[in-house]
């Protein structure tokens, strides 16, 4: 596999979260080129309706297609939950979402079959994780929890401290009570909160970062050496002001050059 | 004044916040008709860049003009700070923003000249409140504090409780330390947090809700009896799904019929 897939790997997210996926891809496929789009002018997605998210996902995908990508990674659980099947049906290139990779990682991890899922309002209310998990194993016990403030916290640069711990406790207490042995971080922003979440849940609970699972899926798809380019590079685009994105992106993930673009279609 | 201004009163906000202004207008001018637009598909505004906010404000104003409004109320401090002068220059109708009314109310309230301002990142970093306050009185001492999580809290339905109190303390402690005697709530979402804020600041600190001050400005502009309509009504529009908005709007402000619209222009 992989040798037939040329072009860059395109990723989009509503904001910063997808950078956790890109970070994993940079590690596992360093010779590839990437195009990252953060739809920061309309972030967050997770509080919004399905129809709106599908529209935004189509616009993000359309912009990335113009950058001649060979694979699209929907590096956002909310967009994957709402729009993956639409994008798969409409796009002429392979599309990798967040749900299936995270589900497979959780199934490999769990011993008791008691799994927790945390995500945005939109992802959790869509029920996609339950559906995908139960399709693999109908005997699982799943507890899902929407965490609407996690994304605003991360986007405000708050990833540790008393208040973060309070939110982690508020959102993760139901998972602890149910005795989950594995928790899926069903949002690409949440790896930035993993220390607080892991500390609260304790060392016996496996915390599955979908970011890593997705990178593995992309590697399987394009092949470790597939499409190697002589000068791999990563281009970053955002829909809001560059400075707003750059400040936090740099704090989390180091220096990068970012350009602002407009992507709305009517 | 007032008798020459016909048509409905149009208001827009990024989401729910502007409803606090509408509530005041319903009280002071019950015989008027209103058109409310919540740009919920792109909420929040306060974390975004000025150029993006100006674009959104123009699109919101354009939609409301099509509804044949006679006055536009920019019921959002972030949009007022970024775009009021643009809208005033471009629109053929009077435009009322949030800044000046709140400033006048604060000046009437303060005895010591030590004033606090809380708002979104965008509003606070614009410096509009300091500028407007100092233009009236150059001897004021002003402490401004950005509160980036207040809007997500309100939009998530969290307006009281331990976590809200923690945020209030985190954001308002610098104002308390400076000994302010008046605080401007420089965001139309914040009146929904007023109990927690007033409790933390104590009864000696006056908390100025811009919502009330704006309603007074609109009343001055259109006149108590100006443009009285035989069947006053209020129409609500949102850019995201109706249900997402309705759930919280109903919880805060009672039943209403809301319609979804698209407003992006290219």
């Amino acid at each position: 596999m992989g040798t037939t897939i040329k072009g860059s790997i395109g990723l989009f997210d509503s904001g910063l979260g997808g950078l956790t996926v890109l970070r994993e891809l940079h590690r596992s496929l360093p010779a590839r080129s990437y195009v990252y789009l953060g739809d920061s002018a309309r972030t967050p997605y997770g509080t919004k309706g399905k129809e709106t998210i599908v529209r935004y996902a189509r616009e993000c995908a359309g912009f990335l297609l113009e950058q001649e990508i060979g694979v699209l990674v929907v590096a956002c659980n909310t967009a994957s939950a709402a729009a993956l099947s639409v994008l798969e049906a409409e796009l002429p290139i392979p599309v990798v979402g967040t749900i299936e990779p995270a589900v497979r990682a959780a199934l490999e991890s769990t011993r008791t079959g008691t799994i927790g899922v945390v995500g945005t309002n939109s992802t959790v209310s869509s029920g996609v994780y339950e559906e995908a998990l139960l399709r693999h194993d109908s005997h699982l016990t799943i507890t899902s929890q929407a965490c609407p403030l996690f994304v605003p916290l991360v986007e405000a640069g708050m990833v540790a401290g008393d208040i973060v711990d309070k939110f982690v406790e508020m959102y993760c207490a139901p998972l602890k009570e149910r005795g989950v042995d594995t928790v899926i971080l069903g949002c690409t922003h949440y790896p930035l909160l993993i220390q607080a979440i892991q500390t609260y849940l304790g060392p016996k609970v496996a915390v599955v970062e979908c970011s890593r699972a997705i990178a593995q899926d992309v590697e399987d798809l394009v092949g470790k050496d597939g499409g190697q380019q002589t000068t791999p590079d990563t281009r970053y685009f955002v829909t809001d002001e560059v400075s707003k994105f750059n400040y936090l992106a740099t704090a989390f993930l180091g220096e990068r050059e970012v350009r602002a673009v407009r992507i709305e279609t009517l």
Side-chain angles (χ1 to χ4, degrees), chain A:
Chain A
M1 284 209 295
T3 47
T4 57
I5 294 181
K6 303 292 178 196
S8 307
I9 295 170
L11 303 88
F12 77 88
D13 179 52
S14 65
L16 287 167
L19 293 175
T20 64
V21 178
L22 183 60
R23 184 173 57 181
E24 297 298 331
L25 285 169
H26 276 157
R27 280 181 196 152
S28 57
L29 296 168
R32 278 277 181 171
S33 286
Y34 298 90
V35 188
Y36 184 89
L37 173 63
D39 192 7
S40 48
R42 306 190 287 197
T43 195
Y45 282 3
T47 54
K48 286 155 195 169
K50 182 173 176 175
E51 216 176 288
T52 301
I53 297 161
V54 168
R55 177 155 59 90
Y56 291 174
R58 276 194 174 117
E59 291 172 349
C60 289
F63 172 81
L64 289 170
L65 275 182
E66 286 168 15
Q67 313 304 312
E68 302 186 346
I69 58 170
V71 184
L72 175 68
V73 179
V74 182
C76 171
N77 280 268
T78 300
S80 289
L84 187 64
S85 56
V86 172
L87 296 178
E88 282 176 334
E90 291 178 356
L91 298 189
I93 58 170
V95 182
V96 178
T98 57
I99 316 294
E100 278 298 325
V103 162
R104 278 206 311 282
L107 292 170
E108 281 167 24
S109 152
T110 189
R111 300 169 308 283
T112 63
T114 308
I115 296 175
V117 179
V118 288
T120 64
N121 277 342
S122 176
T123 298
V124 167
S125 69
S126 75
V128 283
Y129 271 110
E130 284 91 338
E131 198 187 306
L133 285 162
L134 293 172
R135 201 165 50 231
H136 286 279
D137 181 349
S138 62
H139 296 94
L140 297 170
T141 304
I142 306 158
T143 307
S144 296
Q145 177 65 46
C147 313
L149 268 295
F150 273 176
V151 169
L153 282 169
V154 168
E155 297 270 344
M158 293 178 70
V159 296
D162 280 1
I163 288 181
V164 169
D165 291 342
K166 276 259 184 201
F167 275 106
V168 168
E169 187 187 338
M170 182 174 85
Y171 291 141
C172 296
L175 309 184
K176 209 173 197 175
E177 281 161 26
R178 292 290 291 270
V180 299
D181 78 338
T182 298
V183 171
I184 297 175
L185 299 188
C187 172
T188 54
H189 282 76
Y190 296 0
L192 296 162
L193 298 167
I194 193 166
Q195 282 197 311
I197 293 170
Q198 185 75 71
T199 301
Y200 175 74
L201 292 172
K204 288 184 184 163
V205 176
V207 178
V208 172
E209 292 186 51
C210 59
S211 312
R212 283 195 193 157
I214 298 161
Q216 187 57 56
D217 256 41
V218 176
E219 191 179 323
D220 292 346
L221 185 71
V222 304
K224 193 81 186 169
D225 306 313
Q228 205 150 18
Q229 282 127 348
T230 45
T231 51
D233 70 343
T234 301
R235 288 177 293 146
Y236 297 86
F237 297 91
V238 289
T239 54
D240 190 23
E241 272 178 26
V242 165
S243 61
K244 298 268 163 190
F245 180 83
N246 238 1
Y247 174 74
L248 281 171
T250 304
F252 287 132
L253 300 157
E255 288 289 339
R256 70 205 62 236
E257 191 206 335
V258 184
R259 273 171 285 182
V261 291
R262 291 272 296 274
I263 62 166
E264 299 98 328
T265 54
L266 287 177

